[in-house]
Amino acid sequence: MFLPVSFRSFLFGVLFSALALFVLPSILKQEYKSIGSNMAVNNSTRNTAISILANMSLKSLIFRPRTAALNSKPIQTASRHLTSTAVTKSAKPFMDAVRSRRTIYALNKTAPISDSQIQTIVKEALLNTPSSFNSQTTRLVLLLREEHDKFWDLTKESLKPLISAEQFEQTSKKLDGFKAGYGTILFYEDQPTIHSLEERFATYADKFQQWSEHTSAMHQFVIWTALEAEGFGANLQHYNPVVDVKAQKQWNLPEHWSLKAQLVFGGREGEPNVKEFKPVEERFRVFSS
């Protein structure tokens, strides 16, 4: 016959109480008798132990039902690490990934990893990319699939009244190429945070906007490199401030977020162009004494 969990817990508590009240005292007495010839036993201590067992309340010995444990909530703690198995570990060493990061315009709507893995990469970058004064001014918006398409439609709508018909025809084809991708990441910088730093550190007040741009650029590079290491192609665009207002209204974003760049990514439809490098000797100096 099946008994409810709570009733079974009650019966178990009763049995345990009976054991504590009747069996354990006799065991203790027998044990004390067997060792009485070898060591002195303090009678008051023995009687106290038996008294405690005899007076233990039945209620205190009944186990809590399992439902209490099931209803308990886990404690959440903040961490700079996202311990998620969703991140695929690329076999490429870091510098190989840096060398492989290139601008790729020919994209399609395929994705070599899942949407959840893309989100984890973006979150990891947001948590671990440095910022001046640890200001953490960067704000990111990830647009995938149809939401990605909406952004480039809004960009086209914003540009059309600003340029000639001939220019728009060429620009429209270019924008369609971005729309052909899988997703877009919008890079914003939080202006109130920057203004707060300008007030707190007056000596560097004229530098915080510039340092904010540095912070945004580092986030762009980290995410761009990470996505291409996973097999995506990507290119970086700057259609701000033309599309700022429409994007803010479309996704209900704070007005004090300032748009800086748009990273377009998707399946690779083509290969990057050949890149020419200026001599390193002209751009690098080292001094060592």
Side-chain angles (χ1 to χ4, degrees):
M1 181 176 65
F2 177 78
L3 296 175
V5 173
S6 59
F7 187 70
R8 281 183 286 167
S9 299
F10 175 81
L11 288 179
F12 189 78
V14 171
L15 292 174
F16 188 85
S17 300
L19 176 66
L21 291 173
F22 302 108
V23 179
L24 288 181
S26 62
I27 293 175
L28 287 173
K29 289 179 181 179
Q30 185 65 32
E31 185 66 22
Y32 285 138
K33 288 180 181 179
S34 65
I35 64 174
S37 59
N38 297 322
M39 61 182 296
V41 178
N42 188 313
N43 288 331
S44 63
T45 302
R46 181 189 64 184
N47 293 334
T48 300
I50 295 173
S51 176
I52 291 173
L53 288 171
N55 288 288
M56 290 177 70
S57 66
L58 182 64
K59 183 178 180 181
S60 66
L61 293 171
I62 297 177
F63 291 168
R64 292 173 59 191
R66 287 193 306 168
T67 52
L70 293 174
N71 292 331
S72 62
K73 296 182 179 180
I75 298 174
Q76 297 181 350
T77 57
S79 172
R80 70 191 296 267
H81 300 287
L82 297 177
T83 54
S84 171
T85 56
V87 179
T88 56
K89 295 182 178 179
S90 174
K92 293 183 178 181
F94 176 71
M95 290 309 300
D96 283 349
V98 171
R99 281 189 288 268
S100 298
R101 185 222 51 80
R102 296 292 308 279
T103 295
I104 299 177
Y105 290 109
L107 304 174
N108 59 45
K109 292 190 178 298
T110 63
I113 58 177
S114 68
D115 290 356
S116 63
Q117 289 172 309
I118 297 171
Q119 291 182 47
T120 302
I121 287 173
V122 174
K123 290 177 182 178
E124 287 281 5
L126 191 60
L127 283 173
N128 296 301
T129 302
S131 58
S132 63
F133 286 68
N134 193 31
S135 54
Q136 302 179 48
T137 51
T138 299
R139 305 291 184 266
L140 302 176
V141 176
L142 175 62
L143 304 175
L144 299 173
R145 304 173 187 270
E146 293 181 0
E147 299 302 312
H148 155 83
D149 293 347
K150 287 179 184 177
F151 177 81
W152 293 107
D153 288 339
L154 290 174
T155 304
K156 188 180 291 187
E157 292 175 11
S158 301
L159 280 171
K160 188 173 183 178
L162 302 178
I163 57 180
S164 67
E166 183 180 351
Q167 288 177 318
F168 181 74
E169 183 178 356
Q170 296 176 346
T171 300
S172 181
K173 292 179 181 179
K174 187 176 182 180
L175 296 176
D176 287 341
F178 303 143
K179 184 179 177 180
Y182 185 80
T184 299
I185 300 172
L186 308 181
F187 293 83
Y188 288 87
E189 286 293 300
D190 184 59
Q191 294 305 302
T193 303
I194 299 170
H195 296 329
S196 174
L197 290 168
E198 291 170 345
E199 294 174 359
R200 289 167 55 197
F201 304 98
T203 303
Y204 309 107
D206 62 333
K207 297 296 182 182
F208 281 109
Q209 287 291 345
Q210 178 183 347
W211 292 341
S212 168
E213 300 281 351
H214 297 170
T215 297
S216 181
M218 285 190 284
H219 283 78
Q220 295 162 31
F221 176 77
V222 169
I223 296 174
W224 189 349
T225 303
L227 289 177
E228 290 209 354
E230 298 299 343
F232 281 109
N235 59 79
L236 191 67
Q237 300 303 317
H238 301 85
Y239 282 92
N240 43 290
V242 175
V243 73
D244 292 24
V245 175
K246 287 185 180 295
Q248 186 269 325
K249 291 181 179 179
Q250 176 66 40
W251 290 286
N252 193 29
L253 303 174
E255 294 183 4
H256 53 77
W257 286 13
S258 177
L259 184 60
K260 301 299 179 183
Q262 306 87 47
L263 182 67
V264 189
F265 62 94
R268 293 179 179 231
E269 194 70 26
E271 295 300 321
N273 297 326
V274 176
K275 184 176 181 178
E276 296 182 359
F277 297 90
K278 293 182 179 180
V280 173
E281 293 76 16
E282 297 178 5
R283 300 184 288 155
F284 175 67
R285 297 182 183 183
V286 60
F287 302 91
S288 178
S289 56

